[in-house]
Amino acid sequence: MQGYRISTDLVEMDIDIIHAVISESYWAKGIPKTVLQKALNHSLCFGVFTDVQDGDKQVGFGRMITDRATYAYLADVFIVDEYRGRGLSKLLMNAIVDHPDLQGLRRMVLATRDAHGLYAQFGFKPVPNPEVLMQVWQPNVYSASE
């Protein structure tokens, strides 16, 4: 897509933008910046950036938590509000599902409250047997750490 680029170089990621969005999200509200930075350091990150002519600023993000061999969990996907509606989420998702390190995985999963339509376009489907899934759920973990 002209005017935008995707990078997986962690050095390019703008932790301030990423933290500003994710710390206000429904899935990670209040996450401390140090915790988020640690998560990025241990993930395969994808940033959406404007071209240099437009300031080369980060306007989107997503990350895969993965062993790069058998399993991946898609997390923290966003496009900055003012850049939504331009097809950037599809650009980002194409880059993620086409990444060489994510080919041949046995399972790729995600959790979403409101973007099922987007992810379905990239092969994600509801889990047919949710009874096999379990979790440790600590929804207030970030508020407790402050």
Side-chain angles (χ1 to χ4, degrees):
M1 177 179 290
Q2 193 168 6
Y4 299 93
R5 66 182 180 83
I6 303 287
S7 175
T8 58
D9 186 348
L10 196 55
V11 173
E12 289 192 72
M13 303 300 154
D14 185 337
I15 188 66
D16 293 327
I17 294 292
I18 297 167
H19 183 256
V21 174
I22 293 176
S23 67
E24 293 300 320
S25 69
Y26 70 83
W27 65 87
K29 187 154 187 72
I31 188 170
K33 191 184 280 189
T34 56
V35 172
L36 183 60
Q37 183 67 63
K38 185 176 182 181
L40 270 58
N41 290 345
H42 296 282
S43 300
L44 176 57
C45 297
F46 296 80
V48 182
F49 296 86
T50 60
D51 278 346
V52 175
Q53 304 90 298
D54 294 322
D56 196 33
K57 64 183 176 178
Q58 187 160 5
V59 298
F61 179 78
R63 69 184 179 102
M64 278 294 209
I65 304 159
T66 182
D67 60 12
R68 299 178 190 216
T70 64
Y71 182 85
Y73 180 88
L74 180 60
D76 297 335
V77 177
F78 71 83
I79 300 296
V80 173
D81 285 345
E82 66 191 83
Y83 286 87
R84 290 185 180 169
R86 302 178 190 199
L88 295 177
S89 61
K90 291 178 186 173
L91 177 71
L92 175 59
M93 285 304 300
N94 274 317
I96 291 170
V97 299
D98 290 344
H99 192 278
D101 287 353
L102 301 175
Q103 303 309 301
L105 300 177
R106 185 176 64 241
R107 180 168 293 171
M108 206 181 286
V109 296
L110 61 82
T112 185
R113 185 169 73 183
D114 55 6
H116 297 81
L118 168 66
Y119 299 120
Q121 296 174 56
F122 296 91
F124 288 88
K125 298 177 174 108
V127 176
N129 53 349
E131 68 278 2
V132 304
L133 300 175
M134 297 176 69
Q135 68 178 353
V136 173
W137 178 237
Q138 299 179 73
N140 299 316
V141 70
Y142 303 132
S143 60
S145 68
E146 292 178 13

